[in-house]
Amino acid sequence: MKTSLYNNCRPAEVSGRALAFNSFSGALIEVSAEQADFLAGRHSFDPSQVQEKDENLLKDLYRNGFVVDDEVDEFALLKTRHDRAKHSRHQLDITISPTLDCNFGCFYCYQGRLKERMSQQVQDEIIDFIAQHEGLEELKLSWFGGEPLLCLDIIEAMSERIEELSKKMGFTYSAQMTTNGYDLDKERVAILRKCHVDNLQITLDGPPDLHDKRRNLVTRSNGTFWPIIEGIKLLNKAGSTVIIRSNVDKTNIDRVEELIDILADEGLHQNSFYLGQVKPYSEQVKRVSKVFLSKAEMGEHDARVQKYLARKNFKAGADVHFPEPKNTYCSANRTHAYVIDHDGETYKCWAEIGDHSLSLGQLRDLPPPELAEEKMSPCAQRWHDWSPFDEEKGCATCKMLPICMGGCAFSGMTILNNVPECIKFKFNLEETLVKKAAQLRRVPA
């Protein structure tokens, strides 16, 4: 028997105790400092030595992946898990942007506000493309923009057709949306529910005075903060799941707690909340790079914010607030995942949308699903070849690999010049484990 490659041990709040987290299984346990030292090392051992001291402990360690049999190759198992998800044809992930137009003028936006809307022809091509996936078991659909609510009629019409197709082909179908939330009212919320858009991400960049400067309307000076708050309340009342994101940099990170206080006062404790890092997704955004936060700084600030959220009794979303094992970092790492813009151009990542130099080609020209890996475009091949298991990248020997899987591939390939981007948990794992342990004991962190 041997200790796992993926044990991460950190001191607990109680003297002489430690928290052990296995990134392969996602298990978290509390052990003595002596036991943590044992688990942190990579070595084989005689099980009888542990059994003599505590037979139940050995069973718990084995069941939760902290110790494994000598013949187990965890790295190979992890790669198999990754490859199976990467190449699977049973799941299709599609992000649809019916327009790149937007009613907001956020300074960090990397998209141009094109007024065009998705044509009926492109809508038909999307339905035909989904229908080509014989044996499909699950369709995960995301509505994106621009601002997707500007094309709610298209979303409604396409959702009806996709639902009919799901019944005909026998696959499950779920939908989510990234929206600024400004145009939400009872009627629109009802339409979204009918369209199975049950999960939404909405951004608030600080308290009203700060948010309204960063996320302003293009055509008039009305504030956007309070209409968004009311929209979130309508979604909550309708039973939707709303995740609130706050895009942060050096100019607003110190005021996040003020925003959380307002959300708490408005009764939005049920909503998950997380920080988004403003990144140089385009040349336009790079011009304000001096205000960007590093990933290490993000980790430090995130730990502070998570403690404050716990103090305010906010809901903790597992993936947002606590690391979980992943098969791939995101859907863009999978072969059968596509982003489709209003004009029918396809991409691997929403951060590439609108940049035709990174397009996989027109949707109607893509190879059929069974040939997707044999007839890849150069842009698709670039994504396909990106691997967290490449030893030159440094990820292969990292204990964080199962919860990171190489991080954001777009950032690694495009922003960091083929250097993987480490996730925030690398910089705040100790604080995160302590907070999670406190939650499990039902004691405020």
Side-chain angles (χ1 to χ4, degrees):
M1 193 165 278
K2 60 185 178 181
T3 54
S4 170
L5 294 173
Y6 301 111
N7 291 337
N8 299 266
C9 299
R10 299 291 189 276
E13 290 183 303
V14 179
S15 178
R17 304 292 290 174
L19 296 171
F21 170 67
N22 185 271
S23 59
F24 190 94
S25 67
L28 173 65
I29 60 173
E30 184 177 297
V31 295
S32 68
E34 179 184 0
Q35 291 163 345
D37 289 340
F38 168 76
L39 293 174
R42 295 182 180 181
H43 51 77
S44 296
F45 65 94
D46 183 351
S48 63
Q49 295 175 349
V50 180
Q51 286 176 321
E52 289 176 2
K53 297 180 180 180
D54 191 335
E55 184 174 352
N56 290 329
L57 173 63
L58 182 63
K59 291 179 180 178
D60 288 342
L61 294 176
Y62 185 78
R63 184 174 63 251
N64 289 291
F66 291 96
V67 298
V68 297
D69 294 318
D70 284 319
E71 64 272 17
V72 171
D73 186 339
E74 293 174 284
F75 184 77
L77 289 175
L78 186 63
K79 190 175 187 305
T80 298
R81 192 165 73 182
H82 167 80
D83 290 346
R84 186 181 294 120
K86 180 176 181 178
H87 304 296
S88 174
R89 288 178 54 192
H90 296 303
Q91 177 180 318
L92 175 63
D93 291 22
I94 296 182
T95 297
I96 301 176
S97 177
T99 182
L100 293 184
D101 193 14
C102 187
N103 48 355
F104 276 27
C106 310
F107 80 90
Y108 49 75
C109 183
Y110 52 89
Q111 297 175 339
R113 283 185 286 275
L114 301 177
K115 296 292 184 181
E116 289 86 352
R117 290 161 45 95
M118 182 173 283
S119 67
Q120 187 61 53
Q121 178 182 335
V122 173
Q123 295 176 51
D124 294 342
E125 290 173 357
I126 292 174
I127 299 299
D128 291 343
F129 180 70
I130 297 172
Q132 292 176 26
H133 290 73
E134 296 181 7
L136 181 63
E137 297 177 1
E138 182 180 15
L139 171 65
K140 291 188 175 182
L141 180 62
S142 297
W143 296 102
F144 198 65
E147 173 47 51
L149 288 179
L150 297 180
C151 293
L152 190 55
D153 56 328
I154 293 176
I155 293 172
E156 186 174 15
M158 288 200 65
S159 296
E160 291 179 2
R161 298 177 68 184
I162 292 171
E163 184 174 11
E164 290 177 5
L165 192 60
S166 73
K167 293 177 180 177
K168 180 180 179 180
M169 296 179 62
F171 60 79
T172 60
Y173 156 53
S174 61
Q176 61 183 24
M177 176 181 287
T178 300
T179 171
N180 59 41
Y182 182 77
D183 285 330
L184 289 168
D185 56 24
K186 288 184 179 179
E187 181 181 356
R188 291 184 175 94
V189 168
I191 292 173
L192 291 176
R193 294 291 292 176
K194 185 181 73 170
C195 295
H196 303 290
V197 182
D198 298 325
N199 292 271
L200 300 95
Q201 177 179 281
I202 296 177
T203 299
L204 291 166
D205 275 3
D209 64 300
L210 186 55
H211 168 91
D212 290 344
K213 291 178 181 177
R214 292 168 62 92
R215 297 182 63 80
N216 56 293
L217 289 167
V218 175
T219 57
R220 54 191 188 276
S221 59
N222 302 49
T224 63
F225 183 90
W226 290 110
I228 294 172
I229 290 290
E230 294 306 311
I232 294 173
K233 289 180 180 179
L234 289 173
L235 289 168
N236 286 343
K237 187 176 181 180
S240 302
T241 298
V242 182
I243 297 175
I244 300 173
R245 169 181 172 129
S246 189
N247 292 323
V248 295
D249 52 48
K250 294 178 181 178
T251 67
N252 70 332
I253 186 62
D254 292 331
R255 298 189 65 189
V256 173
E257 283 85 352
E258 292 180 54
L259 170 60
I260 293 172
D261 286 341
I262 294 173
L263 298 178
D265 290 342
E266 294 299 317
L268 301 180
H269 301 85
Q270 73 187 75
N271 300 100
S272 291
F273 177 95
Y274 81 105
L275 302 180
Q277 183 180 10
V278 177
K279 295 181 180 180
Y281 286 124
S282 69
E283 291 300 321
Q284 176 180 341
V285 184
K286 285 179 183 178
R287 291 200 291 267
V288 293
S289 60
K290 63 182 180 181
V291 304
F292 296 160
L293 293 164
S294 68
K295 187 61 71 171
E297 289 172 323
M298 281 293 296
E300 179 182 344
H301 290 302
D302 183 76
R304 183 194 87 227
V305 169
Q306 298 312 322
K307 288 181 181 179
Y308 198 75
L309 287 168
R311 196 180 310 155
K312 289 287 185 175
N313 297 317
F314 269 74
K315 176 184 176 182
D319 186 53
V320 174
H321 300 309
F322 188 73
E324 288 188 331
K326 299 176 180 291
N327 293 330
T328 61
Y329 179 78
C330 80
S331 62
N333 300 113
R334 302 180 62 254
T335 299
H336 299 282
Y338 304 89
V339 177
I340 307 168
D341 74 8
H342 68 286
D343 202 30
E345 289 288 339
T346 60
Y347 308 85
K348 289 301 294 180
C349 175
W350 52 262
E352 300 175 328
I353 197 166
D355 185 345
H356 288 192
S357 68
L358 299 175
S359 170
L360 310 181
Q362 278 283 320
L363 180 63
R364 59 178 173 271
D365 297 327
L366 293 184
E370 63 271 18
L371 298 177
E373 295 189 350
E374 295 180 30
K375 297 186 177 182
M376 285 186 172
S377 68
C379 289
Q381 191 70 50
R382 171 173 169 255
W383 280 86
H384 186 269
D385 292 344
W386 177 266
S387 171
F389 301 98
D390 183 348
E391 293 187 6
E392 293 182 1
K393 290 187 173 72
C395 299
T397 57
C398 180
K399 290 187 175 186
M400 295 284 196
L401 181 58
I403 60 173
C404 172
M405 300 309 289
C408 173
F410 177 83
S411 293
M413 291 187 294
T414 307
I415 299 176
L416 301 177
N417 297 317
N418 291 314
V419 176
E421 180 184 57
C422 295
I423 59 174
K424 66 182 181 183
F425 292 117
K426 180 176 180 177
F427 307 101
N428 67 8
L429 184 63
E430 182 172 333
E431 295 90 339
T432 301
L433 297 184
V434 168
K435 174 179 174 292
K436 186 64 175 181
Q439 286 180 340
L440 294 174
R441 298 191 200 97
R442 300 183 181 276
V443 176

